[in-house]
Amino acid sequence: MVALDTAVAASTALDTRPPARRRGARAHFTQFKWLYLLLLPGAIYFALFRYGPMYGAVIAFKDYVPFLGINDSPWVGWAHFEDFFASPDFPRLLANTLILALLSLLVAFPLTIVVALLLNELRVTMVKRSVQTLIYIPHFLSWTVVASLTYLLFALDIGPLFQLINGVLGTNIDFLTDPGWFRPIIVLQDIWKNTGWGTIIFLAALAGVDQEQYEAAIIDGAGRFQRVWHITIPSIMPTIIVMLVLQMGQVLNTGFEQIYLMTNALNRSVADVFDTYVYFMGITQGSYSYSTAVGLFKAIVGVVLIFGANWLARRFNQTGIF
Amino acid sequence: MPREKYRFNTRAGRAFDVFNVVLLIAVGVLALLPFIFVTAGSFATEAELATRSFFLWPETFSLRAYESILTSDAFIRAMVTTIGVTVVGTVIQLLLTASMAYPLSKLNFPGRRVILALIVFTMVFSGGMIPTFLVVKDLGLLDTYWALILPMAINPFSLIIIKNFFQQLPAGLEESAMIDGANEMQTLWSVVLPLSKPVLATFALFYAVGIWNDFMSPLLYLNDSSMWTLQMFLRQVTVATDLSIVDADPSQLPPAQGIKFAVIVVATLPILLFYPFLQKHFAKGMLIGSVKG
């Protein structure tokens, strides 16, 4: 299947002559032409769909008119950002986003570690495997399926959770539209979908804990709980910190799909976050420039948070995330 | 595992073991419970759904809900669309990712570091929803299925993991192919890719799950409801409770609740079918991903 003429290409690919750069562009190109060709589709993809939008983000500083295009639309400077920071939407969005992030940090994150620790203490291998298999599954279901399940479970007419909770409380709460229940439901969905999946990384860290330390601890008469507290947890602390820091870098990224699917006219006051706001203002209302400014603000704060978090991780851990 | 040695056979230790097993089995069941409830509900009659609030096995067995959706043109269309987009999209994503990963795995490839840095940068910063939407719009991709595939054609994470995998393949294999006269293209196709089958299969599954589950792209890029995917259809039926989209046999009243249950089951089924294959690989894949490239 290998043609004769390709022997030339093979010899150039293997040659030990000085680097191509010194032999001029032509030789350089001959040596790497196939690799450049293979790279091309991917390069076009990144230029078009990853860097194209970065260039397009300049409309945050313009009054984008679709008819004029990105280049010819007039500049307006920081006007959209000023509008956004001055609008009553800004504090509301910031609060909603931060509260959801904080809840997930305080509830979902520790829960993941607890489940991983419990799984690690489980000594019946078959049960351990089965439980792991089961709790990973929800991670692979779409947010539409999760939202649909939520709507059925909390439905006014047939929802079992609606009837159960209202039966116990003796009230009549419509969980899907009551703004007070929006956040608990979002956190609940998040726990159901992602806790199991999140344990993978901690279980890997737990598998790497030095077993001799446990032996020593047993000789010293340490009980099971003491061993977990004094050996297991300190041993996985670096992993915990890296994951915590990574999550802090993601604070402004409340998943668009999850929030969008659970948002309705009655819970908008607590449901609006940056991502869904960009969608509503940009796509449904056509304020392209304004919503791009909001998105850009979010993206830049996100980058600062990620690098800040990485810096923190390095301080705790010697190795950062990158 | 020398775990047995550390066994603490005190009464409290054994009590904790029992408690732990019971608790975690409960957690496992809880993960699956909503889905069992929905599956049971999808096979129940409307009357039973209206009277019994929670059951894991229907008393009266009925296929009416499935009949309704399977005779619905809109549902069939959404199903076929989703399968088609998933298959085509996965193939394109895999080809593009592998093709780009290969040159970047060559340590002597000029510009390698710069290109990698540019790729990693896109993992931290993006232009955002609206500028991406405008790119898709300006390329004339709105209301085409390409809009569901091309904007996400390469996942930077997958790219870097596949690149790392290529990189640690024994160099001798590629060299001997070259000595036999194969060019880079042929080496990639007949030596590197066959050796990478397990990794590529893993990413194929992840890509496929991603496209199958994607809700944001069709929401953003498809205005025409006749082009909707299964996830859009599902949202319309369950979240927006708009059953008119089902357009089933007009002579019969469709089972309003049952349809919601059945559509959820159908939208989830392929994931559950492929899950065993996915599961074999993902833990490893995720851990490779967490190691820096």
Side-chain angles (χ1 to χ4, degrees):
Chain A
M1 66 162 290
V2 175
L4 253 180
D5 59 350
T6 52
V8 185
S11 64
T12 49
L14 286 173
D15 74 12
T16 47
R17 284 178 291 169
R21 212 170 295 154
R22 269 184 241 160
R23 301 197 317 269
R26 203 191 165 91
H28 173 94
F29 181 76
T30 326
Q31 184 182 356
F32 293 107
K33 65 178 173 201
W34 293 111
L35 292 181
Y36 278 122
L37 202 62
L38 283 167
L39 186 77
L40 193 64
I44 293 174
Y45 165 77
F46 273 94
L48 217 54
F49 289 107
R50 298 272 173 168
Y51 281 89
M54 286 187 208
Y55 169 72
V58 297
I59 64 166
F61 304 95
K62 291 186 163 204
D63 252 335
Y64 177 71
V65 186
F67 170 69
L68 292 174
I70 293 171
N71 288 324
D72 296 331
S73 295
W75 291 97
V76 295
W78 295 92
H80 297 302
F81 290 88
E82 282 159 14
D83 282 353
F84 177 54
F85 295 138
S87 88
D89 292 332
F90 177 68
R92 192 168 56 89
L93 292 171
L94 193 67
N96 288 346
T97 309
L98 289 180
I99 290 171
L100 283 175
L102 212 66
L103 280 177
S104 131
L105 214 61
L106 292 177
V107 183
F109 185 71
L111 202 63
T112 311
I113 299 170
V114 169
V115 173
L117 286 173
L118 290 176
L119 274 170
N120 192 53
E121 290 296 313
L122 205 59
R123 292 185 296 205
V124 193
T125 317
M126 210 193 72
V127 176
K128 186 177 171 183
R129 289 258 171 80
S130 322
V131 172
Q132 278 181 278
T133 303
L134 289 179
I135 61 177
Y136 295 161
I137 292 178
H139 175 78
F140 293 96
L141 305 183
S142 66
W143 277 117
T144 32
V145 167
V146 177
S148 303
L149 288 172
T150 313
Y151 273 78
L152 285 185
L153 289 168
F154 287 101
L156 289 178
D157 36 11
I158 57 159
L161 285 181
F162 172 81
Q163 298 185 346
L164 180 75
I165 301 176
N166 280 320
V168 171
L169 297 179
T171 49
N172 232 348
I173 306 164
D174 179 2
F175 300 98
L176 297 171
T177 55
D178 186 335
W181 281 89
F182 180 79
R183 284 166 188 151
I185 286 179
I186 292 290
V187 174
L188 213 65
Q189 287 182 328
D190 200 26
I191 289 173
W192 185 73
K193 193 172 192 283
N194 291 322
T195 302
W197 185 250
T199 60
I200 290 181
I201 200 104
F202 294 111
L203 285 171
L206 286 166
V209 178
D210 183 9
Q211 296 296 320
E212 281 177 25
Q213 291 191 31
Y214 290 114
E215 253 172 278
I218 290 170
I219 291 165
D220 288 347
R224 204 155 160 185
F225 181 75
Q226 284 175 309
R227 294 198 310 255
V228 170
W229 189 251
H230 293 291
I231 303 172
T232 315
I233 293 181
S235 303
I236 62 165
M237 214 49 192
T239 311
I240 295 179
I241 290 173
V242 167
M243 296 312 284
L244 189 69
V245 154
L246 270 179
Q247 249 210 337
M248 280 158 60
Q250 294 291 318
V251 157
L252 296 191
N253 285 332
T254 39
F256 170 80
E257 293 190 357
Q258 182 191 12
I259 306 283
Y260 175 83
L261 286 162
M262 299 310 296
T263 301
N264 51 51
L266 295 165
N267 64 20
R268 277 294 280 278
S269 58
V270 289
D272 272 342
V273 292
F274 289 107
D275 286 321
T276 51
Y277 184 74
V278 169
Y279 173 81
F280 288 124
M281 293 308 282
I283 305 290
T284 58
Q285 299 196 25
S287 311
Y288 290 139
S289 283
Y290 177 74
S291 52
T292 301
V294 177
L296 197 60
F297 162 74
K298 201 208 88 167
I300 288 169
V301 175
V303 171
V304 172
L305 283 174
I306 287 169
F307 280 100
N310 189 52
W311 177 80
L312 268 176
R314 270 172 203 257
R315 291 208 51 184
F316 281 116
N317 241 8
Q318 282 103 43
T319 51
I321 300 125
F322 38 76
Chain B
M1 281 281 269
R3 268 288 161 80
E4 235 24 52
K5 264 201 287 186
Y6 312 122
R7 190 160 200 145
F8 225 60
N9 274 319
T10 60
R11 185 173 296 177
R14 278 196 305 271
F16 173 76
D17 276 334
V18 173
F19 164 79
N20 195 15
V21 167
V22 173
L23 179 72
L24 284 174
I25 289 177
V27 168
V29 170
L30 225 51
L32 211 60
L33 212 54
F35 196 71
I36 300 174
F37 162 68
V38 168
T39 312
S42 72
F43 288 109
T45 54
E46 280 297 288
E48 187 174 356
L49 285 172
T51 49
R52 293 176 73 195
S53 68
F54 187 77
F55 53 89
L56 301 174
W57 193 258
E59 260 170 17
T60 45
F61 195 81
S62 157
L63 288 172
R64 278 280 287 121
Y66 289 98
E67 271 169 36
S68 292
I69 57 172
L70 289 175
T71 52
S72 149
D73 287 341
F75 173 79
I76 302 285
R77 227 183 301 129
M79 190 77 192
V80 172
T81 299
T82 310
I83 294 172
V85 170
T86 304
V87 171
V88 175
T90 306
V91 171
I92 290 179
Q93 292 182 334
L94 215 53
L95 278 176
L96 278 179
T97 311
S99 149
M100 192 179 198
Y102 184 67
L104 294 175
S105 73
K106 298 281 173 214
L107 295 177
N108 66 341
F109 185 66
R112 178 176 171 277
R113 292 183 68 87
V114 177
I115 297 169
L116 279 171
L118 285 171
I119 291 167
V120 171
F121 182 65
T122 67
M123 292 162 39
V124 199
F125 185 78
S126 81
M129 183 192 282
I130 306 300
T132 310
F133 173 83
L134 292 177
V135 166
V136 172
K137 187 171 168 241
D138 289 346
L139 290 171
L141 298 178
L142 278 192
D143 283 316
T144 71
Y145 293 127
W146 293 115
L148 310 187
I149 297 171
L150 296 181
M152 311 188 296
I154 297 179
N155 177 299
F157 267 110
S158 318
L159 176 69
I160 286 170
I161 295 170
I162 292 178
K163 182 219 87 175
N164 287 347
F165 183 86
F166 287 168
Q167 217 162 299
Q168 52 86 45
L169 287 175
L173 287 165
E174 290 166 53
E175 276 168 23
S176 67
M178 299 266 185
I179 290 166
D180 287 345
N183 63 36
E184 306 270 6
M185 216 72 130
Q186 290 162 325
T187 313
L188 173 62
W189 189 257
S190 43
V191 178
V192 176
L193 288 188
L195 284 174
S196 315
K197 265 183 200 156
V199 181
L200 297 176
T202 310
F203 283 102
L205 283 168
F206 272 101
Y207 270 147
V209 169
I211 304 178
W212 182 274
N213 282 346
D214 187 14
F215 169 71
M216 191 166 153
S217 308
L219 178 74
L220 285 174
Y221 304 130
L222 302 181
N223 290 310
D224 182 354
S225 67
S226 71
M227 295 185 72
W228 277 1
T229 61
L230 206 52
Q231 305 294 335
M232 291 288 278
F233 186 91
L234 174 61
R235 188 202 85 108
Q236 196 66 13
V237 169
T238 55
V239 177
T241 53
D242 169 19
L243 290 173
S244 69
I245 186 181
V246 180
D247 70 27
D249 184 359
S251 64
Q252 285 179 303
L253 207 63
Q257 298 295 352
I259 285 180
K260 297 182 192 171
F261 287 77
V263 180
I264 297 179
V265 172
V266 175
T268 315
L269 209 58
I271 306 273
L272 294 184
L273 289 179
F274 282 108
Y275 181 68
F277 302 99
L278 202 61
Q279 202 209 355
K280 258 202 313 207
H281 301 291
F282 61 55
K284 215 186 298 164
M286 184 164 160
L287 293 177
I288 300 170
S290 62
V291 175
K292 4 194 227 176

